[in-house]
Every structure is written in C-alpha cells, then in structure tokens.
C-alpha cells in the first residue's frame, strides 16, 4: 500500500462521515434545520391541528346544526363538563338527507325536537318528563308524551359549557377556527398577489414605475391599518367575504416592500443579465428566475401576515363589523361574553381569546423558525 493510499483512505472516511452529502438539496437541509427547532415544530403541529378541525368542521363538532346555533335557553350558562339529559321527540317533520360532504361543509339540521329533561317516568304507554329549568328545586313543566313519539333519551356532556343562549361553546370555538384560518388564507393570497406583483415591477423597472408604486405604498402605509380595514369594510359591506377582501387589501404593502428590496439586490446578478442577453421576456425573468430566489423571505412574511390577519378579523368581529351572526367567530364570541369577565363565567370570553392567542403565537413562532431555517449564514 502506497503512502498516498494510507493518507487518503482515512481522509475519505472523515469526509464521508462529517461532510454533508453533495446531492443533498437545499430544501432538505432547510427542513433538517427547521426540525431541530422544537418551538417551530410544536407550532406547526398546533396549526395542523386547527386546520384539521376547520376542515372536518361539523363532522366532529358536538353540535352538528348549521353555525352550531342550536339554542336551549333552559341550559344557558352551564359550567364546563356539565351533563344534561335530552329527550328527542319525533314531531313528524320531514328529515332532510345529507351526505357527509354537505354535512362537513354546512352541517345538518336536527331531525328531532330535543327537550332538556330533569327526570322522566314511564306510565304504561305514556312517558312523563319534567323539563329542566336549572333552578333549585327544578320545578319544571310536566309533559306527557306517547312512547311512540319518543325517539331516544340521551345524556350529553358540554365540555366547555354553554353560552347565554344555551349553545355549545366547544362547537362554536371549533367552527370559529374556520373563519380565522379562512381569513388568513384568502387575505394572505390577496396580499401576495398584489404585493409581489407591484414590488417586483417597481424594483425591476425602476425609474418612474418605481416612483409611482413607492408613492402608493407610502400612502397606504401612512393610514392606520385598523382604520383602513374599517373603511374598506364599510365600502364593501358587512359579511363573510367582505372581511377577507378588506384585510387582504391592507396587508400587501409589507409584502411589496420586502419583495422590492429583494428584487433590487438580485436584478443585477450575472444570471439575470444572462436572461436579458438571451432575450427572455420580463415576465419569465421575474417569475422564473427572480421570485424563486426570494421565496424564503416571502414565506417568512406570509407567516407573520397570517397572524396579523387573524387578529384583524377578530378585532373587526369584536367591533361588530366583521363576520355577522349566526356564523360563529372568536372575536364575536369575546364580544358577546366579555361582560362575564367580572362574574363567575369569565371562561366564556377567556376560551375564544385563548384560541386566538394560541393560533397567533403559533404562526409567529412558525415564522421565526422558517427565518432561522432559511438563514444559512450560521
């Protein structure tokens, strides 16, 4: 064995064990860095859980009715983990058949009449039930029903209690996640569409194009975000989709400024000059060669904008100009129940507020984790 072989063999073994594989892609290295960030992984799991709840919707909520709006005034303001017995009565109403997909999207009405029951006794072919009142003693109305009309008697547990209208709080929080995540997705999509387009055009062309776009950005930037959202909401009207558009139209300036700065730093690179020399169109140069190289920065600001969109929607719903009843929203739930904060039912406002805090914090930590994973300087 030659001296060169003796030296090179341990060296090759060291390189194989210590150096990263040459064929490892940048995305796989970023994923490895991201996985080492425990807070970011926990945040991704939390967001995935909320997303699963939002997609499954009425298939997994305790209250399957549209908007989870089944009201029982007799059981209003029940404490968490309360158990109530319901007697279900068939009153001959036609039962609408719905498939699982329609149920998942919009829920299904309760096919029978449900009566909160304190106690029931059977007398021959009749059932005597005393309706639940929540008072001590109960002193409820006595109803005499035929056995044939009683479909079933079932005990139901309200894990998070009920609100002042007797609605299940857990179901409303679960469906409320749909509104928060939907406004995040749609508003961020609108912001990315406008912000990337204007920011890239401003930086790539420069000159008077850059001057005009920067003037627009500065004007929008100078208006307080909440006031601008409220103004756009008043112009478009109150409603579900109007909130998404209003939030999206106020968030694009952040994206545009970041994209403009990144494109400025890349447009003079050699490979961009090569695309011009080869006669590639401006559209292809920007969207095929520049934007993929700034995707990391855009992803980070997108995560931050998600959190901002959720907070804006909750604030609008709290003010009463966001998502309108009976559609449940975390902001409107806080608005309806904030008066209970000084009473013994503070959890009615605390629980939706906690959901907002957890989801916003998860997106912020996810953005920090993505930033650290994309930053390869260390």
């Amino acid at each position: 064995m030659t001296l060169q072989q003796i030296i090179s063999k341990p060296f090759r073994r060291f390189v194989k064990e210590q150096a990263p594989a040459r064929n490892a892609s940048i995305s796989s290295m970023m994923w490895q860095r991201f996985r080492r960030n425990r807070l970011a992984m926990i945040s991704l799991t939390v967001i995935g859980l909320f997303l699963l709840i939002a997609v499954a919707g009425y298939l997994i909520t305790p209250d399957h009715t549209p908007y989870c709006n089944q009201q029982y005034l007799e059981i209003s303001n029940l404490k968490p983990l309360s158990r109530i017995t319901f007697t279900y009565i068939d009153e001959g109403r036609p039962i609408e058949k719905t498939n699982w997909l329609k149920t998942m999207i919009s829920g299904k009405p309760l096919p029978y009449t449900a009566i909160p029951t304190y106690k029931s006794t059977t007398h021959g072919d009749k059932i005597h039930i005393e309706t639940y009142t929540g008072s001590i003693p109960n002193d409820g109305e006595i109803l005499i029903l035929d056995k044939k009309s009683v479909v079933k008697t079932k005990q139901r547990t309200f894990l998070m209690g009920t609100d002042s209208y007797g609605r299940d709080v857990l179901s409303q929080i679960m469906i409320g996640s749909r509104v928060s995540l939907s406004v995040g997705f749609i508003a961020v999509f609108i912001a990315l569409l406008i912000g990337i387009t204007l920011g890239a055009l401003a930086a790539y062309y420069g000159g008077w194009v850059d001057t005009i776009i920067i003037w627009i950005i500065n004007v929008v930037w100078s208006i307080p975000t909440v006031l601008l959202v409220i103004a756009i909401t008043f112009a478009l009207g109150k409603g579900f989709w109007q909130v998404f558009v209003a939030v999206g139209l106020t968030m694009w300036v952040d994206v545009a400024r970041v994209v403009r700065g990144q494109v400025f730093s890349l447009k003079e690179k050699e490979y961009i000059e090569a695309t011009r020399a080869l006669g590639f169109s401006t559209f292809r140069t920007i969207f095929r060669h520049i934007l993929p190289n700034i995707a990391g920065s855009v992803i980070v600001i997108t995560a931050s904008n998600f959190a901002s969109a959720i907070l804006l929607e909750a604030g609008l719903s709290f003010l009463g100009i966001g998502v309108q009843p009976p559609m449940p929203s975390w902001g409107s739930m806080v608005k309806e129940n904030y008066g209970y904060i000084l009473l013994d039912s503070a959890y009615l406002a605390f629980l939706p507020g906690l959901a907002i805090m957890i989801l916003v914090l998860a997106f912020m930590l996810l953005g920090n984790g993505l930033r650290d994973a994309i930053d390869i300087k260390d």
Side-chain angles (χ1 to χ4, degrees):
M1 182 178 295
T2 65
L3 179 62
Q4 182 180 3
Q5 291 175 327
I6 295 174
I7 297 175
S8 62
K9 189 173 181 180
F11 178 76
R12 288 197 303 269
R13 186 184 303 116
F14 173 80
V15 171
K16 184 177 180 180
E17 292 176 355
Q18 302 295 328
R22 291 182 179 270
N23 59 353
S25 64
I26 295 177
S27 59
S28 64
M29 289 189 290
M30 287 169 51
W31 173 244
Q32 293 298 327
R33 291 166 60 88
F34 181 81
R35 287 181 59 185
R36 290 196 292 268
N37 190 328
R38 292 185 178 180
L39 284 178
M41 287 300 297
I42 293 173
S43 301
L44 185 63
T45 304
V46 170
I47 294 171
L49 179 61
F50 274 103
L51 183 61
L52 178 63
I53 292 173
V55 171
Y58 296 98
L59 292 179
I60 60 175
T61 55
D63 183 0
H64 305 304
T65 59
Y67 306 121
C68 300
N69 196 40
Q70 189 66 37
Q71 301 180 15
Y72 305 99
L73 296 179
E74 304 93 333
I75 59 171
S76 60
N77 294 333
L78 284 181
K79 300 298 182 184
L81 302 178
S82 296
R83 293 184 177 183
I84 298 294
T85 301
F86 286 89
T87 301
Y88 294 88
I89 303 173
D90 186 3
E91 295 184 337
R93 291 179 300 179
I95 300 175
E96 180 183 355
K97 293 184 179 180
T98 57
N99 56 35
W100 68 270
L101 181 60
K102 185 176 180 181
T103 301
M104 180 180 72
I105 296 173
S106 58
K108 62 180 179 180
L110 194 66
Y112 309 112
T113 300
I115 301 176
T117 304
Y118 181 72
K119 65 179 179 180
S120 62
T121 56
T122 303
H123 300 276
D125 60 347
K126 302 290 184 180
I127 297 180
H128 294 209
I129 67 171
E130 181 181 349
T131 58
Y132 181 87
T133 63
S135 59
I136 301 176
N138 185 73
D139 195 23
E141 180 184 1
I142 304 298
L143 301 179
I144 302 176
L145 307 171
D146 291 330
K147 272 188 176 181
K148 294 180 180 179
S149 64
V150 177
V151 178
K152 60 181 177 179
T153 300
K154 182 180 179 181
Q155 190 177 65
R156 180 176 166 186
T157 302
F158 294 89
L159 295 177
M160 293 186 178
T162 60
D163 63 7
S164 57
Y165 297 98
R167 297 174 298 189
D168 182 44
V169 174
L170 175 60
S171 299
Q172 294 229 313
I173 288 178
M174 294 173 72
I175 294 300
S177 65
R178 273 189 175 181
V179 175
S180 295
L181 289 174
S182 297
V183 73
F185 277 112
I186 298 175
V188 166
F189 174 77
I190 295 173
L192 289 177
L193 183 64
I194 299 174
I196 289 176
T197 302
L198 293 183
L201 292 176
Y204 189 81
Y205 285 108
W208 65 270
V209 176
D210 183 42
T211 302
I212 293 175
I213 293 177
I214 281 297
W215 180 83
I216 296 173
I217 290 175
N218 290 335
V219 169
V220 177
W221 190 276
S222 65
I223 304 174
T225 303
V226 176
L227 295 181
L228 184 58
V229 171
I230 292 174
I232 296 175
T233 303
F234 280 136
L236 298 176
K238 301 177 183 179
F240 187 71
W241 296 103
Q242 290 87 333
V243 173
F244 299 165
V245 176
V247 174
L249 291 177
T250 58
M251 298 176 61
W252 63 268
V253 288
D254 295 328
V255 180
R257 289 171 68 92
V258 170
V259 170
R260 177 177 175 271
Q262 294 290 320
V263 174
F264 259 129
S265 66
L266 291 177
K267 73 173 185 176
E268 302 300 333
K269 297 290 185 181
E270 290 81 359
Y271 67 91
I272 301 300
E273 294 289 344
T275 62
R276 297 194 190 100
L278 292 172
F280 290 165
S281 65
T282 301
F283 179 87
R284 176 169 179 174
T285 300
I286 292 176
F287 288 93
R288 292 285 299 275
H289 301 284
I290 294 180
L291 292 185
N293 288 283
I294 65 173
S297 301
V298 173
I299 290 173
V300 172
I301 196 171
T302 298
S304 175
N305 282 349
F306 248 101
S308 300
I310 292 169
L311 284 176
L312 280 173
E313 183 278 324
L316 290 175
S317 297
F318 182 85
L319 295 174
I321 56 177
V323 175
Q324 298 299 299
M327 181 173 289
S329 166
W330 291 342
S332 60
M333 291 178 69
V334 175
K335 170 65 175 179
E336 292 172 358
N337 301 299
Y338 76 94
Y340 291 102
I341 292 178
L342 299 179
L343 304 176
D344 59 347
S345 299
Y347 62 91
L348 291 174
F350 175 76
L351 290 174
L354 181 64
I356 296 171
M357 185 194 73
I358 291 174
L359 191 55
V360 169
L361 180 61
F363 272 110
M364 296 302 293
L365 293 176
L366 177 65
N368 292 338
L370 290 172
R371 181 199 61 203
D372 295 339
I374 293 170
D375 187 6
I376 60 173
K377 291 184 292 185
D378 56 347

